[in-house]
Amino acid sequence: MKIPSFQRRRITPSVLYPGTPVLLMTTLNPDGSSNISPLSSFWALGNRVVLGLGTQGQGYRNLQLRNECVLNFPCSAQATQVEAIARATGRDPVPEAKQEMGYMHVHDKFALGGFSAEPSAQVAPASIAECPLQVEVTVMAMHPPSDDDGQGFVIVEGRVRCVHAHEAITVAGTQHIDASRWKPLIYLFRHYLGVGEPVGRNFRAQAAARDRA
């Protein structure tokens, strides 16, 4: 069989987001309110999560004071709400680097984005009620990358405490998320995308009860 020939070229993209989920991290402010930090660097394995987090934001400061957060995953229909808080920061005064990028201080990002705060089960920061998937996390460690060249971010390692999901995206009678109904918001080279219908299933996917009937 002849192997197809693909034309390619070397590039240096300004960001490397080939397709990652958008998440809204909530942390506890010193005054007891909750802050929302939009993130797009996320990875999970078992009950561990890894985040990429900028050090210029209020979320980082809050995690330094209290090692808890909630990872709230919005659906694709909530892109406008996510973008509404994209230029907002809980830091006051706004760091110079963020000022240059057009950020402004907003204390209540829940109101700005049209979100509702809901008490979490095992951590202090509030969850975002409208987000279909909510993951409560205890932070185990935060450290800069070994070759940090002043990019201003840390790698956060956390342990999942508990997970909540809207009934509408679960398979009744199981612990499964329904992949045909859960439509996460995806961040693709600084553009928001949704997802289409499933195109297949890995051999390790657990069959839901309705599939075995």
Side-chain angles (χ1 to χ4, degrees), residues 24-200:
L24 302 176
M25 181 183 73
T26 48
T27 54
L28 198 69
N29 290 318
D31 66 0
S33 63
S34 290
N35 180 67
I36 303 177
S37 301
L39 303 179
S40 53
S41 298
F42 167 81
W43 182 78
L45 182 64
N47 71 342
R48 293 293 190 267
V49 295
V50 177
L51 310 172
L53 180 65
T55 57
Q56 294 286 313
Q58 187 64 32
Y60 172 65
R61 282 196 164 185
N62 288 346
L63 286 182
Q64 288 181 305
L65 298 174
R66 186 166 190 142
N67 65 334
E68 296 180 328
C69 64
V70 183
L71 309 180
N72 305 272
F73 292 83
C75 66
S76 56
Q78 294 168 319
T80 301
Q81 289 177 275
V82 172
E83 184 60 18
I85 65 172
R87 290 181 181 269
T89 176
R91 287 284 299 273
D92 186 20
V94 179
E96 183 176 347
K98 279 185 170 280
Q99 290 183 37
E100 294 174 355
M101 291 187 286
Y103 281 81
M104 60 181 179
H105 169 67
V106 176
H107 181 70
D108 190 352
K109 296 182 193 176
F110 282 86
L112 181 63
F115 295 116
S116 306
E118 181 174 34
S120 299
Q122 297 190 32
V123 298
S127 297
I128 300 176
E130 290 81 5
C131 288
L133 189 62
Q134 306 152 7
V135 182
E136 299 181 21
V137 171
T138 294
V139 172
M140 312 299 290
M142 290 195 296
H143 53 266
S146 58
D147 60 345
D148 187 14
D149 56 0
Q151 296 185 72
F153 65 88
V154 293
I155 296 170
V156 180
E157 302 175 45
R159 178 170 62 87
V160 175
R161 300 287 298 277
C162 67
V163 179
H164 291 95
H166 287 186
E167 289 280 5
I169 67 167
T170 63
V171 179
T174 76
Q175 301 297 311
H176 303 310
I177 297 296
D178 189 332
S180 67
R181 291 190 287 175
W182 169 222
K183 306 297 183 184
L185 181 62
I186 301 298
Y187 198 58
L188 180 66
F189 291 103
R190 291 182 173 156
H191 292 74
Y192 298 117
L193 274 72
V195 297
E197 292 302 311
V199 296

